[in-house]
Amino acid sequence: MAFSHRIAALAAVVAIPLGIAATSFALTDQPESPEVPPRVELDSGSPTPTPTRPAPTPSDEVVSRPPVTDSPASDDDDDASDRDAPDDDRGEPGDDG
């Protein structure tokens, strides 16, 4: 008796998903194949453009270098050595902590 219940449960576990898949496949619309025209015509009424001189590539352009000057005293860089570095609170050895 228990064996027939197991077989019935196994059949249900297999048959139900297969039934759902078969029903889904049967109800979907099959798209029609696209029709290919028997002959393709290209528009040849316009003349071909004449090649013009291409724009210069970046390697062809000459750019002058900026002048090299010493940094003025009012430089905004944060690399000044007269200021102490801010405390980052990481607890490293030698920290103010």
Side-chain angles (χ1 to χ4, degrees):
M1 212 32 149
F3 185 70
S4 63
H5 289 292
R6 288 182 184 168
I7 294 294
L10 181 62
V13 166
V14 172
I16 291 174
L18 287 177
I20 292 171
T23 304
S24 176
F25 180 75
L27 293 177
T28 57
D29 293 332
Q30 297 295 329
E32 295 180 10
S33 298
E35 293 183 17
V36 179
R39 190 175 81 187
V40 177
E41 296 179 13
L42 299 177
D43 183 25
S44 61
S46 62
T48 58
T50 58
T52 59
R53 184 171 184 259
T57 60
S59 63
D60 295 340
E61 295 179 16
V62 177
V63 179
S64 62
R65 299 183 77 177
V68 178
T69 60
D70 289 335
S71 298
S74 63
D75 192 5
D76 289 354
D77 290 344
D78 289 335
D79 59 355
S81 62
D82 59 329
R83 287 189 274 163
D84 290 348
D87 188 15
D88 59 3
D89 294 331
R90 281 191 261 171
E92 295 175 347
D95 203 4
D96 297 355

